[in-house]
Amino acid sequence: MLSTTAKGTTHLTVLSERFARERLTAAAQAQGALVSDVPEVLFVCVHNAGRSQMAAALLDHHAQGTVHVRSAGSTPANEINPAVREVMGELGLDLSREFPKPLTTDVVEAADVVITMGCGDACPIFPGKRYLDWELTDPAGKGVDDVRPIRDDIDQRVRELLSELVPAGTS
């Protein structure tokens, strides 16, 4: 799956191993063989190169282990948007180890909350999941000055979501 969108093959083996591990963990959670004691959140956008990557990194950062976060794209890009990497780096969040991942049924099934960002119709619907659609500007093709407000909007939404998932004093 990753080789169809990979820009290069240098790190494809390592990325494939990480992607396979995530999918197997998600499948085990979806089947009840592995129980998570923290909420599972999945962020989905079209390319998994901008909005969903920022949201996942911000929630992971703010949650400090109290939430498990995944991201995916309905049509993954070759790489994460360079302007997104830069504006996240301004906050001390390094996306260099991240890569666009394809949306799979198992990660949706494992999630408690699924947040779509411009691709809601591509995401499978399962009972018992909470679905949210965040209308956000796509950072594709934009420079850092235009991506910062998108990042800040996502950060505010992520903080609100976190306060709902992990109320103060329960972490």
Side-chain angles (χ1 to χ4, degrees):
M1 289 177 90
L2 293 178
S3 66
T4 61
T5 59
K7 186 174 185 177
T9 58
T10 306
H11 303 290
L12 190 56
T13 303
V14 173
L15 297 178
S16 294
E17 186 273 332
R18 285 180 47 207
F19 181 59
R21 185 176 345 112
E22 273 293 312
R23 286 196 67 198
L24 289 170
T25 301
Q29 289 173 307
Q31 295 172 6
L34 182 63
V35 179
S36 177
D37 58 348
V38 298
E40 298 279 334
V41 177
L42 172 64
F43 292 102
V44 184
C45 68
V46 176
H47 300 297
N48 192 222
R51 297 167 288 189
S52 58
Q53 290 284 350
M54 287 190 284
L58 287 162
L59 181 56
D60 187 59
H61 171 73
H62 294 308
Q64 298 180 12
T66 60
V67 174
H68 185 260
V69 184
R70 291 184 177 99
S71 70
S74 56
T75 309
N78 293 333
E79 64 182 349
I80 295 177
N81 179 327
V84 167
R85 286 185 193 277
E86 187 172 335
V87 300
M88 295 304 284
E90 293 171 356
L91 299 179
L93 301 175
D94 180 11
L95 297 183
S96 64
R97 293 187 38 116
E98 298 304 323
F99 59 97
K101 296 165 282 302
L103 178 64
T104 60
T105 303
D106 43 12
V107 296
V108 178
E109 287 182 302
D112 297 307
V113 180
V114 179
I115 300 171
T116 57
M117 304 167 177
C119 65
D121 57 336
C123 192
I125 305 293
F126 293 100
K129 310 288 175 205
R130 179 179 174 197
Y131 290 87
L132 300 170
D133 184 49
W134 289 355
E135 290 189 31
L136 297 161
T137 302
D138 187 348
K142 297 187 177 357
V144 293
D145 290 336
D146 293 322
V147 175
R148 279 188 198 104
I150 300 167
R151 175 203 61 199
D152 295 343
D153 184 10
I154 292 170
D155 190 42
Q156 179 182 351
R157 292 171 191 245
V158 158
R159 289 172 187 260
E160 290 170 9
L161 176 67
L162 181 59
S163 70
E164 294 172 21
L165 295 174
V166 185
T170 62
S171 58

